[in-house]
Amino acid sequence: MDHSMHHSGMDMDHGGHSDMDMGGKCNMNMLFTWSTKDLCIVFRQWHINGPLSLLVSLLVIVLLTAGYEGIRQITRKYEAAQAQRLSAVGVTTATSGNEYADEVADEAATAFHANLTHTLPDASSPLVVGRDNRRAVERRGKITLAALYAVQVFYSFFIMLLFMTYNGFIMLAVAVGAFVGYLVFGDNQSAAKTVACH
């Protein structure tokens, strides 16, 4: 029995599509290489088919990687702004609480003989309102920070997938993008980075 016919039939019918239907063959490297022949970057549609597409792809990768540092800067700025908001709510609550305490003390002194009791704050007191405002600010801030964190994790894993093409040109583009991103968005932050995906 001739197995060559059997294998060639399987190759053509594998998946029900030929290489031409899928936009060309994608080469998946598991070892470091400089070859760009049949290189697909993350998606089958992001196919390198010449020097111009390679150059454009490298520029896009530099911009994408620099953008990751931009997201990190946005997160740092939001965290600082959130801390200021919480501090401002805390100061407002403390100030309102002191004014309220002074009012209660004055009322208690004048109403002592009339058996009025205004020693506990009611639901509309500045202390309760301030505490509710602080909780609302904390909740909104936590949700926003969680969303920014999710974007960072997604972004970092996407960059990892770029790096895992094992292509030297792509790896260099990621490094150049990190360099550019730090120059543009670093804001005197520590350049130390732990080895992690995010």
Side-chain angles (χ1 to χ4, degrees), residues 75-93 133-134 137-138 141 145:
T75 304
R76 286 190 298 265
K77 285 186 176 184
Y78 186 83
E79 283 177 329
Q82 177 68 5
Q84 286 179 343
R85 277 190 292 275
L86 288 174
S87 176
V89 169
V91 168
T92 302
T93 303
N133 284 343
R134 183 174 178 83
V137 169
E138 284 175 344
L145 284 171

Side-chain angles (χ1 to χ4, degrees), residues 1 42 44 47-48 55 59 61 80 94 111 116 122 154 158 162 185 196:
M1 179 175 190
V42 182
R44 182 174 295 277
H47 192 120
I48 305 299
L55 182 62
L59 289 174
I61 291 168
L116 296 175
D122 62 5
F154 179 84
F158 186 81
L162 292 171
F185 302 110

Side-chain angles (χ1 to χ4, degrees), residues 68-80:
Y68 175 68
E69 291 300 322
I71 294 293
R72 291 182 66 210
Q73 182 192 42
I74 289 169
T75 304
R76 286 190 298 265
K77 285 186 176 184
Y78 186 83
E79 283 177 329

Side-chain angles (χ1 to χ4, degrees), residues 4-101:
S4 62
M5 293 286 284
H6 179 67
H7 288 297
S8 66
M10 276 182 39
D11 290 341
M12 283 185 72
D13 293 334
H14 184 69
H17 301 286
S18 69
D19 286 341
M20 295 304 252
D21 292 338
M22 301 302 278
K25 182 181 172 188
C26 286
N27 187 10
M28 178 69 178
N29 290 305
M30 296 304 290
L31 298 172
F32 180 80
T33 183
W34 290 101
S35 173
T36 58
K37 183 178 185 221
D38 294 326
L39 174 64
C40 291
I41 303 172
V42 182
F43 306 104
R44 182 174 295 277
Q45 294 79 12
W46 194 352
H47 192 120
I48 305 299
N49 53 19
L52 182 61
S53 64
L54 175 64
L55 182 62
V56 170
S57 295
L58 294 176
L59 289 174
V60 167
I61 291 168
V62 167
L63 294 175
L64 279 171
T65 308
Y68 175 68
E69 291 300 322
I71 294 293
R72 291 182 66 210
Q73 182 192 42
I74 289 169
T75 304
R76 286 190 298 265
K77 285 186 176 184
Y78 186 83
E79 283 177 329
Q82 177 68 5
Q84 286 179 343
R85 277 190 292 275
L86 288 174
S87 176
V89 169
V91 168
T92 302
T93 303
T95 303
S96 298
N98 290 339
E99 290 171 1
Y100 181 74

Side-chain angles (χ1 to χ4, degrees), residues 158-169:
F158 186 81
I159 292 169
M160 180 193 67
L161 290 175
L162 292 171
F163 210 83
M164 287 182 65
T165 60
Y166 296 102
N167 185 282
F169 294 112

